[in-house]
Amino acid sequence: MKLFFKRHCSSLTTLKTLQNSSAEVAQILNYCKSGALCDAICLLNSTDLSTAFIKKPVVYASLLQTCIKVFSFSQGLQIHSHVIKSGLENDPFIGNSLLSMYIKLGPDFDETQKVFNGHFIKDVISWTSMISGYIKIGKSKNALELFCEMPGLDVEPNGFTLSAAIKACSELGFIRLGKCFHGMVIKRGFISSHVISSSLIDLYGRNCESEDGRQLFDELPEPDAICWTSVISAFTKSDLYAKALGFFYLMQREHGLVADGFTFGTVLTACGNLGRLKQGKEAHAKVITSGLCGNVVVESSIVDMYGKCGLVDESYRVFDKMLKKNSVSSSALLQGYCQTGDFESVIRIFREMEEIDLFSFGIVLRACAGLAALRLGKEVHCQYIRRSGCKDVIIESALVDLYAKCGCVDFAHQIFLQMPVRNLITWNSMISGFAQNGRGEEALRIFDDMTKGGTKPDHVSFIGVLSACSHMGLIDRGRKHFASMTKEYRIKPKIEHYNCMVDLLGRAGLLEEAETLIENADCRHDSSLWEVLLGACTTCRNAHVAERVAKKIMELEPDCHLSYVLLDNVYRAVGRWNDAFKIRTLMKYSGVKKMPGKSWIEANTWINIYVNTQQQVNNVAKIKQVMKLGKLSVWQMADTAKYPNGEGKAQGDLFEELLETKHTKQST
């Protein structure tokens, strides 16, 4: 009887323990569901790990997924230690959860590789996770190599594996291999999967084969919003912005699908590149009504759109209201100011930025080049070396352009020679740099090296080459290169190329040939061509051709001051003073005003710009008087010249005050 009672009590105790453990497991799962990771771990630590209920894989898998959800890698490591103590490290369910946690949160991918290699059982989920992990850290080639190991281990890829492999091909530009995967998708019957179809459309879009992506999209029975976004993005990446907008309107109006943040980001990019402000504003309004204002990707695209459409003030207002900013949004704002020529604002905003990416360095270097601000450019160069190291082809191309435009062409050439990789922009920057600094032979030598190395020149390359021929007076070589544009490289000459050729012929005194070249050009109605020819007439002192050309310019652009000024110079050069006086009088009564000169001074790392008007000239006289007093710095004097009225009024009063003080002292 005592033995029976003892066994009965023991069984009741075991049942009670199991019930308590079951309740603790349920509580842990509830904590995980609500994201209370700390509470879940505290309860786990206070529980007997020998209990069978606690050893259920679902408990640890839920805890690991919660670690991912709350971005807590340190607590994930604690769960990993619990898994090892429980002897569940070889469970496939827990193993895949561990791998997912290391891929998404782990700071060192080598540790992730160790977790993967330590798996006793690797199923298709393990392999797919690892392939996706390699793509995430930018090692798409390793991802494809890992995929190739799967068939040898009798692991069949599923739809998600193929989708990841296609994405790797897309990142690397392996279009032929991507098409092989496309065939595998069709063979295995995955073509109806919207995830895989979207990956294939993205592959074709990124590799300039958007029509193949369009064909695949048309074959889908019922494409979802993700597929629509993929094909819109494919057109945008192929610079087919009008088609991208057309598909967006089809998606909205005829199919009634709801666009997400990625869709709006792509559409706003298309609007910005097309300069369609009205449609961009409509998309902006749609973003507001869709509740996507807090999305940093969408808002960065809005900043970029307004900047590309020329409304930099509106772009800044959107940027200023953004709750969350990143380097992409800041770069978009910088790009907007740079495109409108407001280089000072680019430098000011760059100095205020906390997070700087490589694209921002490229933009601010362009701004420094536009201002010929060598000192600021060197500062940015030093920042780039400290923060990002070196060997980025885009930034180093911008550095070549900067130093060449600032007159340091030898230093630009030194950077050029040290670059391990050069793209077309690099070659063009060096060619133009030598040409602009009067070293035409070296510019032509660089062009020959470029073509011999297999880099195909574009229209910018020929602008530099023709400019070099013009500065060196190489008429025959200039003619040869101009002819090779259309015959050899199938490049249609633009206004800039004709300007260079007219300048080349005009410098040599071949005015008739230059005039014939303009008359036969498609862009013969552009006044800038005739202005170059008129400038050549000034050098050659050919009044008859100058009168004819000036009349042509006045017909094309009546308000252009250059036709009057250059013709006046020709008349003066040949001694026709009465005609020079008449042309100046005609200019005055026609209301045509000469464009004022613009100067800038770099002082205390700031660029100070002022326009040369008559009022400024009067100010210079005052500046000289005050300089004798020695009471103002160069910076203050430049500031006064910049703002003779308005903002600089206080400084102007200071000038008057100092002058009055001087005169008072002299009179006493």
Side-chain angles (χ1 to χ4, degrees):
M1 187 67 182
K2 287 181 180 180
L3 182 62
F4 171 78
F5 182 75
K6 187 176 181 180
R7 289 178 179 175
H8 179 69
C9 289
S10 177
S11 62
L12 286 173
T13 303
T14 305
L15 181 61
K16 187 176 181 180
T17 304
L18 291 174
Q19 287 174 347
N20 291 337
S21 299
S22 178
E24 288 170 349
V25 167
Q27 188 62 39
I28 290 172
L29 295 177
N30 285 333
Y31 281 140
C32 291
K33 191 175 180 180
S34 61
L37 181 61
C38 293
D39 294 332
I41 292 176
C42 287
L43 185 56
L44 179 69
N45 290 332
S46 64
T47 305
D48 185 6
L49 295 179
S50 62
T51 308
F53 278 96
I54 296 299
K55 289 187 177 182
K56 282 188 174 180
V58 67
V59 176
Y60 292 105
S62 299
L63 286 164
L64 289 167
Q65 291 300 321
T66 309
C67 291
I68 296 171
K69 188 164 66 174
V70 300
F71 302 99
S72 179
F73 183 65
S74 59
Q75 290 173 314
L77 293 176
Q78 293 181 39
I79 307 300
H80 192 177
S81 65
H82 273 284
V83 168
I84 295 170
K85 288 178 183 179
S86 304
L88 294 172
E89 62 268 25
N90 292 327
D91 183 86
F93 187 29
I94 295 178
N96 289 332
S97 298
L98 271 172
L99 189 60
S100 177
M101 190 264 294
Y102 272 91
I103 288 171
K104 293 178 179 178
L105 303 179
D108 187 1
F109 201 78
D110 290 335
E111 294 298 321
T112 308
Q113 183 72 53
K114 289 178 183 177
V115 173
F116 176 74
N117 293 336
H119 272 200
F120 185 73
I121 301 173
K122 299 186 186 78
D123 57 10
V124 67
I125 298 173
S126 311
W127 287 90
T128 304
S129 299
M130 201 62 191
I131 290 168
S132 301
Y134 273 122
I135 296 170
K136 183 186 174 185
I137 63 170
K139 294 185 176 181
S140 297
K141 194 171 182 181
N142 296 71
L144 291 175
E145 289 172 356
L146 196 64
F147 179 88
C148 294
E149 294 179 17
M150 292 177 65
L153 298 171
D154 294 328
V155 181
E156 287 290 321
N158 60 17
F160 294 102
T161 319
L162 289 171
S163 177
I166 292 165
K167 186 177 180 181
C169 294
S170 180
E171 296 282 348
L172 294 168
F174 291 174
I175 186 66
R176 291 184 63 184
L177 183 59
K179 287 182 177 181
C180 293
F181 280 118
H182 191 172
M184 188 183 295
V185 166
I186 296 171
K187 184 178 179 180
R188 293 176 181 268
F190 291 126
I191 196 62
S192 59
S193 169
H194 289 161
V195 175
I196 296 179
S197 298
S198 298
S199 299
L200 285 168
I201 293 169
D202 181 67
L203 166 74
Y204 290 123
R206 286 196 182 198
N207 293 279
C208 301
E209 296 193 14
S210 56
E211 287 305 318
D212 288 338
R214 163 76 184 273
Q215 184 179 347
L216 173 61
F217 176 81
D218 290 338
E219 292 171 357
L220 294 174
E222 292 183 6
D224 60 1
I226 297 173
C227 295
W228 279 92
T229 300
S230 297
V231 76
I232 292 168
S233 177
F235 283 129
T236 303
K237 287 169 184 173
S238 300
D239 296 339
L240 301 171
Y241 305 115
K243 281 190 175 182
L245 290 179
F247 266 72
F248 174 71
Y249 288 122
L250 279 173
M251 171 186 176
Q252 294 270 297
R253 294 171 182 172
E254 294 191 13
H255 296 270
L257 295 172
V258 179
D260 60 6
F262 294 104
T263 316
F264 279 115
T266 306
V267 168
L268 287 161
T269 301
C271 291
N273 284 300
L274 289 171
R276 295 187 181 179
L277 180 60
K278 183 181 177 182
Q279 289 174 302
K281 286 184 174 180
E282 289 174 359
H284 187 182
K286 194 73 176 175
V287 166
I288 295 170
T289 56
S290 301
L292 294 170
C293 283
N295 189 316
V296 67
V297 175
V298 177
E299 289 185 327
S300 299
S301 299
I302 294 170
V303 171
D304 180 63
M305 183 272 294
Y306 281 120
K308 286 178 178 175
C309 292
L311 296 182
V312 286
D313 292 335
E314 190 64 33
S315 179
Y316 183 78
R317 274 194 287 270
V318 175
F319 177 82
D320 194 44
K321 291 178 181 177
M322 289 177 64
L323 299 175
K324 184 180 179 183
K325 302 179 180 74
N326 58 12
S327 60
V328 177
S329 53
S330 300
S331 298
L333 184 65
L334 289 178
Q335 182 75 359
Y337 279 112
C338 197
Q339 284 180 348
T340 56
D342 191 355
F343 302 127
E344 301 84 10
S345 296
V346 173
I347 294 168
R348 175 179 55 80
I349 295 168
F350 179 81
R351 282 175 166 158
E352 295 170 357
M353 287 171 60
E354 296 179 1
E355 186 181 352
I356 302 173
D357 60 2
L358 290 176
F359 190 65
S360 301
F361 276 112
I363 296 170
V364 76
L365 286 169
R366 266 180 58 197
C368 293
L371 291 170
L374 181 59
R375 182 177 175 180
L376 286 172
K378 285 182 176 180
E379 289 180 12
V380 176
H381 189 177
C382 292
Q383 284 190 47
Y384 163 65
I385 293 172
R386 284 200 305 268
R387 296 192 184 192
S388 305
C390 52
K391 309 308 178 189
D392 183 87
V393 66
I394 297 173
I395 307 301
E396 294 192 349
S397 299
L399 285 168
V400 170
D401 182 59
L402 165 71
Y403 287 116
K405 285 181 177 176
C406 291
C408 303
V409 67
D410 290 322
F411 192 50
H413 191 218
Q414 184 180 346
I415 295 173
F416 175 82
L417 292 175
Q418 291 175 354
M419 292 177 65
V421 178
R422 303 182 189 116
N423 60 13
L424 182 58
I425 298 172
T426 317
W427 289 100
N428 288 345
S429 298
M430 199 66 254
I431 292 167
S432 300
F434 277 128
Q436 290 166 2
N437 287 275
R439 294 163 67 168
E441 289 290 347
E442 290 169 273
L444 295 175
R445 179 177 55 79
I446 293 291
F447 178 79
D448 291 338
D449 291 343
M450 179 182 76
T451 53
K452 288 175 183 176
T455 303
K456 188 177 179 182
D458 64 354
H459 69 282
V460 179
S461 312
F462 280 102
I463 292 173
V465 167
L466 295 174
S467 177
C469 293
S470 176
H471 287 302
M472 297 294 293
L474 303 173
I475 302 169
D476 292 333
R477 291 185 71 174
R479 287 171 177 156
K480 175 188 171 184
H481 284 299
F482 186 76
S484 70
M485 284 180 63
T486 51
K487 292 180 180 178
E488 188 175 349
Y489 296 103
R490 300 288 186 268
I491 300 172
K492 185 178 180 181
K494 297 184 178 181
I495 295 171
E496 296 84 358
H497 304 105
Y498 280 105
N499 277 332
C500 292
M501 280 303 297
V502 171
D503 184 57
L504 169 64
L505 297 171
R507 285 171 186 256
L510 303 173
L511 300 179
E512 298 294 336
E513 183 180 346
E515 190 173 1
T516 304
L517 180 68
I518 296 174
E519 290 289 359
N520 294 331
D522 294 336
C523 51
R524 56 184 172 275
H525 298 301
D526 190 283
S527 62
S528 66
L529 293 173
W530 298 99
E531 288 166 9
V532 175
L533 182 58
L534 185 55
C537 294
T538 307
T539 307
C540 298
R541 300 184 178 186
N542 191 325
H544 298 293
V545 177
E547 287 173 343
R548 188 167 65 247
V549 173
K551 185 179 178 182
K552 182 74 175 178
I553 297 172
M554 291 175 189
E555 290 174 0
L556 292 172
E557 198 171 344
D559 296 330
C560 179
H561 70 282
L562 283 175
S563 55
Y564 296 91
V565 173
L566 293 174
L567 186 58
D568 174 43
N569 292 340
V570 173
Y571 284 146
R572 290 184 183 190
V574 298
R576 293 169 58 176
W577 300 101
N578 289 333
D579 291 330
F581 176 76
K582 288 178 183 177
I583 201 70
R584 287 197 304 272
T585 305
L586 177 63
M587 181 178 177
K588 181 179 179 181
Y589 283 106
S590 299
V592 178
K593 294 183 179 180
K594 185 179 178 181
M595 184 181 294
K598 188 178 182 181
S599 304
W600 64 87
I601 183 172
E602 184 179 353
N604 298 339
T605 72
W606 287 94
I607 303 297
N608 212 5
I609 296 178
Y610 60 95
V611 178
N612 187 17
T613 62
Q614 184 58 44
Q615 191 173 8
Q616 297 264 358
V617 173
N618 296 336
N619 244 27
V620 170
K622 293 181 180 181
I623 290 172
K624 288 179 179 178
Q625 293 182 56
V626 176
M627 282 180 72
K628 294 177 182 179
L629 300 177
K631 293 192 178 182
L632 283 183
S633 66
V634 175
W635 176 255
Q636 289 171 307
M637 285 180 272
D639 193 49
T640 307
K642 180 180 177 182
Y643 299 113
N645 295 311
E647 294 179 25
K649 190 172 181 182
Q651 288 287 346
D653 292 342
L654 182 58
F655 271 104
E656 300 294 342
E657 207 174 294
L658 288 169
L659 288 172
E660 286 176 12
T661 305
K662 182 184 178 183
H663 293 316
T664 304
K665 287 181 179 179
Q666 288 176 348
S667 61
T668 56

